[in-house]
Amino acid sequence: MPTPDPAPSPKSPTGGGALFVLALFAGIVIGFLLGQTTIGFLAGAAIGIAINLWLLWRDRQ
């Protein structure tokens, strides 16, 4: 006898990959315009990680 499917979760998780890439790309472009591409890359990565951690925290509540 087949078992019933579990009930779907009320919220689907939010993906943050595109936001991370967008923050990374924005950091590279701004860093390039200011002559500090590496710092822009690192700042964009930090902002992207912060956004993804916020999304993870929000989804867990």
Side-chain angles (χ1 to χ4, degrees):
M1 178 169 160
T3 60
D5 291 334
S9 66
K11 293 188 330 183
S12 61
T14 305
L19 294 174
F20 176 74
V21 172
L22 184 63
L24 194 61
F25 185 71
I28 291 170
V29 169
I30 292 170
F32 178 76
L33 293 174
L34 297 175
Q36 298 291 329
T37 310
T38 303
I39 293 174
F41 171 79
L42 294 174
I47 291 170
I49 290 170
I51 290 170
N52 279 306
L53 288 174
W54 175 75
L55 287 173
L56 177 67
W57 174 79
R58 191 186 69 168
D59 283 342
R60 298 273 176 169
Q61 288 187 349

